[in-house]
Structure formats: C-alpha cells, structure tokens
Amino acid sequence: MIDADSPILMLRLLRSAYWFDEGLRRATKAEGGANFPRAQALVVLNVTLGMRKPQELSDAMGISRQAIGRLIGDLVEAGALVVKPDPDDGRATIVEIDPSAEDQMRNTLRHAQRLEKKLGDIIGADRLAVLRAALAEDWGEPDLP
C-alpha cells in the first residue's frame, strides 16, 4: 500500500490544493453562487491566470483538446466563459471570463484571500510568507537527469 502521508511534496501540494478548492466551494455555495465541478473550476482558474487558448489549457491541465473543448462549452453554457476569435490567428479561438461572471470571479478571489489568511493563522504569517515566496519563484523546466 502507498503511504499517502509520506513526505512527497507533490502529494502534500495536491492535498493543499484540495483544501483550497473545498473552502472555495463552501464559500460559493453559502452565497448561492455557481458551484462548478473541479475540472471546470480549474479551467476558470487557469483562464484567470491568463491562459486564453484552448491548447494552453489542454497542455496545462494534461487533458485532451477534445476534453477541454467540452469543458469550455459547458462553461460557456453556464455563463462563466465566452469564446472569441483569436485576433492573432483567424483559425483559432480564445476564451475569456464572461463579463456577467466577473463579480462572481472577484468574490472567488476574495474568498481565496480569506483562505490564505486562515492558512496564515494556522501555520503562522512567517511560514505563509516563505511559502508564497517559494511558490512565486521560477522553478525552471522539470527535467530530470
């Protein structure tokens, strides 16, 4: 059996991402906002990070272009995203946050800030500052020798 409590950083980072996701879901549900499945929420968060091309989203999330297309379609239907022609490539499209969903996105980011503050209360402001700094670093390519 694999020890899920092992000190492998990747597993702990994933568990931490789930902690944030659960907190955001609870806050969104409490205020009656849209509660997207995790895959859809990840698409929206990646668009918020500046990824606008479906291929970028596909690569970042490690899923097929077809799966991203379905997720984007569902999010367009839900009023979270809009699809527009790519101004740099007439054959391609880009995705953006739907203007009608911008207030909800701001609320989500506000909740994320509140969760960060809670994390700081749990682990200490100094450790949170170090964590933020470490995660903000450019780690380079993940090539192994």
Side-chain angles (χ1 to χ4, degrees):
M1 184 162 129
I2 297 174
D3 180 8
D5 291 322
S6 69
I8 296 174
L9 182 61
M10 181 180 165
L11 295 176
R12 293 186 181 204
L13 286 171
L14 185 59
R15 184 182 294 159
S16 300
Y18 291 159
W19 182 86
F20 274 98
D21 181 62
E22 182 61 27
L24 291 175
R25 286 177 185 288
R26 288 179 184 179
T28 301
K29 183 178 179 181
E31 51 184 39
N35 209 345
F36 298 116
R38 185 171 284 144
Q40 290 180 356
L42 287 173
V43 171
V44 172
L45 290 172
N46 278 299
V47 171
T48 302
L49 284 172
M51 292 181 200
R52 300 175 64 194
K53 297 183 179 192
Q55 188 62 51
E56 289 176 316
L57 293 164
S58 173
D59 292 345
M61 293 178 60
I63 61 177
S64 72
R65 177 76 168 75
Q66 183 180 11
I68 280 293
R70 280 194 305 272
L71 289 168
I72 290 170
D74 291 344
L75 288 163
V76 167
E77 189 175 312
L81 296 179
V82 292
V83 176
K84 297 181 175 182
D86 185 336
D88 300 326
D89 181 353
R91 300 167 293 147
T93 59
I94 59 171
V95 292
E96 296 178 348
I97 300 296
D98 189 305
S100 67
E102 287 179 1
D103 283 342
Q104 183 177 345
M105 200 63 215
R106 277 190 280 279
N107 284 341
T108 299
L109 294 174
R110 181 176 45 83
H111 294 314
Q113 290 170 335
R114 289 177 49 217
L115 284 167
E116 284 184 29
K117 183 184 178 326
K118 180 174 182 167
L119 179 60
D121 292 344
I122 294 167
I123 68 172
D126 55 337
R127 287 181 172 165
L128 182 60
V130 170
L131 178 60
R132 276 191 182 120
L135 294 175
E137 289 288 321
D138 180 358
W139 296 357
E141 293 297 318
D143 297 330
L144 293 177

